[in-house]
Amino acid sequence: MEAYLLSIGIIGAIYALLSIGLNIQYGETGLINFGHVAYFAIGAYASAILSLAGMSVGLSMVLAGLIAALAAIPIGFAALRLKEDYFAIVTLGFAETVRLVIQQEDWLTNGVQGLASIPPLFSLSSSLSQNRLFAVVIAATVLLAMLAVYLLQHSSFGRILRAIRDNEVAVTALGKKTSTFKIKVLMFGSFLAGLSGAFYAHFISYISPEQFIALITFYVWMSIILGGVGTMRGALFGSLILVLILEGSRFIGDFLPGVSDVQIAHIRLGAIGLILMGFSLFRPQGLFGRKD
């Protein structure tokens, strides 16, 4: 039971890192990024490939985050020329392009068969002790990410980001180069997504292209909407709530004897949908969001 709860907590923390990265892009700057999973995939594969080549796991994870951040630069330039709706479409296309490249480039990623036997973050004889240490490290990483975002929010850089979100034309009229700020915030969010992908790869120890579909991005969007857009507490607790909903709904079948697995799957999706609709109707600003 402890191993199962640890696994849920670790996956929740991975989603929290993803949510913090997306929250700073959308909640602070107003950039609608539907391709967040692309940087999650880039981080996972970069760290897996580097560690399988013999590099230390810690260094490969940091480099994976940096590679994901660099991959955000082309999308950053696209953000300079596209309005919100069109930028969202471009990011969605970028995520699918990344997934197809991973799937087709067998020489690098092993294609649809994926990468197996990825080295763990810690090599201990007991898997439970290994997961405990992993949970401590990723929890510390999430707290550091939240601290970094808090400091950013309360700096002049953060104030300019919010000004861009509210009225980009006015910021430009004041002589600020908004393009630089957009690219930087995209790189920062993508670094966190890449780092979360690296954690995911070394926790699961096997990755393949079908694990990085667009649905992951929308799970992250659900997390920040549940918790409250623009708040770090929202990103953290929204992610944990989402994972609890997804995992808890697996046990619906225990209370419905005689129902087939296929029917349970449909009921599970319906239950998740109803919970999300309830939040949208009765708490549209999220758990920690402010009412307008």
Side-chain angles (χ1 to χ4, degrees), residues 222 226 242 245 271-281:
M222 280 190 272
L226 287 173
L242 177 69
I245 291 172
I272 293 170
L274 286 173
I275 292 169
L276 294 174
M277 286 174 62
F279 266 94
S280 300
L281 289 172

Side-chain angles (χ1 to χ4, degrees), residues 34-289:
F34 286 162
H36 206 49
V37 69
Y39 307 102
F40 184 56
I42 290 169
Y45 270 89
S47 189
I49 291 168
L50 290 172
S51 60
L52 286 170
M55 184 178 290
S56 69
V57 173
L59 181 57
S60 68
M61 291 176 69
V62 174
L63 288 177
L66 294 174
I67 291 168
L70 291 174
I73 294 176
I75 295 297
F77 282 112
L80 311 182
R81 297 172 173 81
L82 299 171
K83 297 299 181 182
E84 291 87 351
D85 297 345
Y86 298 103
F87 176 70
I89 294 169
V90 167
T91 57
L92 186 61
F94 176 73
E96 185 62 14
T97 300
V98 169
R99 190 185 69 81
L100 289 174
V101 169
I102 290 172
Q103 185 173 295
Q104 297 298 324
E105 298 301 319
D106 293 10
W107 62 275
L108 181 63
T109 64
N110 204 30
V112 295
Q113 295 182 11
L115 296 174
S117 302
I118 299 169
L121 183 57
F122 300 102
S123 297
L124 301 176
S125 56
S126 169
S127 60
L128 185 59
S129 299
Q130 188 169 290
N131 284 350
R132 285 172 181 164
L133 274 176
F134 194 103
V136 169
V137 171
I138 194 168
T141 305
V142 170
L143 290 176
L144 284 174
M146 292 178 69
L147 175 62
V149 171
Y150 176 82
L151 294 175
L152 185 148
Q153 288 175 325
H154 292 80
S155 67
S156 58
F157 186 87
R159 289 190 288 273
I160 292 172
L161 292 183
R162 290 189 291 276
I164 292 171
R165 177 195 64 195
D166 296 335
N167 194 332
E168 185 175 351
V169 175
V171 176
T172 304
L174 291 172
K176 299 293 183 181
K177 196 173 181 181
T178 59
S179 58
T180 303
F181 291 93
K182 286 183 177 180
I183 291 173
K184 286 180 179 179
V185 80
L186 281 168
M187 290 181 68
F188 179 71
S190 299
F191 172 81
L192 292 181
L195 191 59
S196 67
F199 273 113
Y200 178 79
H202 293 288
F203 177 63
I204 299 296
S205 77
Y206 170 78
I207 52 174
S208 60
E210 64 266 17
Q211 292 171 317
F212 303 100
I213 56 176
L215 181 63
I216 301 299
T217 295
F218 293 103
Y219 278 160
V220 180
W221 274 99
M222 280 190 272
S223 296
I224 64 173
I225 291 169
L226 287 173
V229 174
T231 66
M232 287 303 100
R233 287 186 303 166
L236 175 62
F237 289 104
S239 302
L240 296 176
I241 290 168
L242 177 69
V243 171
L244 287 175
I245 291 172
L246 293 174
E247 287 297 318
S249 61
R250 294 180 186 274
F251 301 103
I252 291 176
D254 296 341
F255 303 96
L256 297 172
V259 181
S260 69
D261 291 342
V262 174
Q263 290 172 322
I264 289 295
H266 290 299
I267 293 171
R268 181 181 175 226
L269 287 175
I272 293 170
L274 286 173
I275 292 169
L276 294 174
M277 286 174 62
F279 266 94
S280 300
L281 289 172
F282 302 108
R283 190 73 183 179
Q285 73 274 24
L287 288 175
F288 298 99

